[in-house]
Each structure stands twice: as C-alpha cells, then as structure tokens.
Amino acid sequence: MKIGLYFGSFNPVHTGHLIIASHMADHTDLDEVWFVVSPQNPFKNPTALLNEQHRYSLVRIALEGEKKLNASNIEFGLPKPSYTVDTLIYLSEKYPGKTFSLILGSDSFQNFSNWKNYNYINNNYNIYIYLRPSFPIRGEQPKNVTVVQAPLLEISATAIRDNIRNGRSIRYLVTDAVKEEIEKNNYYGSVLENPTQQHAE
C-alpha cells in the first residue's frame, strides 16, 4: 500500500489542506494520504501553536467519513523538534508492508536542501509536489519526484486565527464540524503570536 504523508502544523486544518490531500489521493497512485500533525515544527514559532492534541482532534473531525484520508499523531511520541527524515525512518520500520512518500508544496520543495538529511530522503522516498503560485518547478526532476497540478485555495491558517480573534467569520474556510469545535472550545481566542514570525500553513 502506498501512503502519502502530508506533514503540517494544521493550526488549524482548513479547506485548502483538504482539497490538496483529496486530489493527491484521487489523482495519483497513492492509496491513502495521512495528515501527519507536527507537534513542533523546527521552522515555526512554537508559541503560536494550539495544543497538539487539539490540532490532531480537529484533523480527525475534518476527516470523519473519509476513506482515503487519515489523521496521524505518530510524531507526538518522537523526539522534538520533529524532523521529517526521523519520522519517515520510524514509519518505514513500523509498517514494513507500506511504502511511504512525501507530499510537499513547491514552496517547501525549494527549501528542501535545508532539511535534515535531505539526501537520504531524496534517495529513499518518492516526493509528490503540488504547485503553488510564484514557486515554479523548473528543469527536469529526479525520477522520485512527481509534480502534480492540484487545485489550490489560497487560505492562510494565520488569517483564520486572526479572524477568530477579531470576531470575523471562518465559515467556508474550515469545515462546519471544525468551525463548531473551535467555537465550542474557544480555540485561538487568546493565542499570542509574534507578528514577525507568522506563517501561512
């Protein structure tokens, strides 16, 4: 079974994430796509993150009823900060009957050479890249790289959090079930962020 790993903070998971994952599951040779919720991304400000268990719960709620999309909290039990290569090696050993691949935006792929042991990843795993505006993929790519023209919605998790704190609607930006869960628990209502370190996930 071929599993595509879609890593992210998912802070929170939104409609753009779901569209990309669904397209990858339906229009590539991947059998499933796993949303791997990162407890701590080494490139992001940890103080901006909602509790990892809450973010994982929101992903599970968003994917309820989906047959090809699953939530994974596998990194919660691994050393922090989370490095993709360590997670890939762990999953490959834990599930020897499954083949794991990476799903990346073309923006992230341009920084791939800065990742821990990126050469090992490149030599041992397939990479599926979805194109993002202003981040083209030029030239011939290695055999392990597949470029996919997936539909994109320019939705920013940072903007969603800002909307919540400012009392603006997040309807249609997240699923109704996720919206209800966020509102019920007052998630992001009092999260403090350093504006110089905000990121769109």
Side-chain angles (χ1 to χ4, degrees), residues 45-159:
N45 176 13
T47 63
L49 292 175
L50 185 68
N51 174 277
E52 61 196 42
Q53 295 292 349
H54 296 332
R55 288 183 284 118
Y56 173 62
S57 177
L58 290 175
V59 173
R60 290 187 63 188
I61 289 169
L63 301 182
E64 189 171 349
E66 293 288 341
K67 294 181 179 179
K68 292 185 175 182
L69 308 180
N70 294 291
S72 172
N73 62 355
I74 196 71
E75 289 195 333
F76 291 8
L78 299 179
K80 297 178 179 61
S82 307
Y83 290 99
T84 300
V85 64
D86 299 331
T87 305
L88 284 168
I89 292 171
Y90 179 82
L91 285 171
S92 297
E93 293 175 350
K94 184 178 176 65
Y95 301 103
K98 300 182 188 298
T99 301
F100 293 97
S101 303
L102 282 180
I103 296 173
L104 296 177
S106 56
D107 52 343
S108 295
F109 186 67
Q110 289 191 359
N111 296 320
F112 184 59
S113 61
N114 295 324
W115 291 25
K116 177 183 176 182
N117 294 348
Y118 79 95
N119 277 324
Y120 178 86
I121 298 174
N122 213 27
N123 292 331
N124 291 277
Y125 297 92
N126 290 324
I127 302 174
Y128 293 78
I129 302 171
Y130 58 91
L131 295 174
R132 295 187 65 87
S134 303
F135 295 95
I137 300 295
R138 295 186 175 92
E140 187 175 352
Q141 297 302 314
K143 291 182 179 180
N144 69 312
V145 173
T146 300
V147 179
V148 180
Q149 187 75 51
L152 296 176
L153 287 181
E154 287 302 299
I155 298 176
S156 160
T158 301

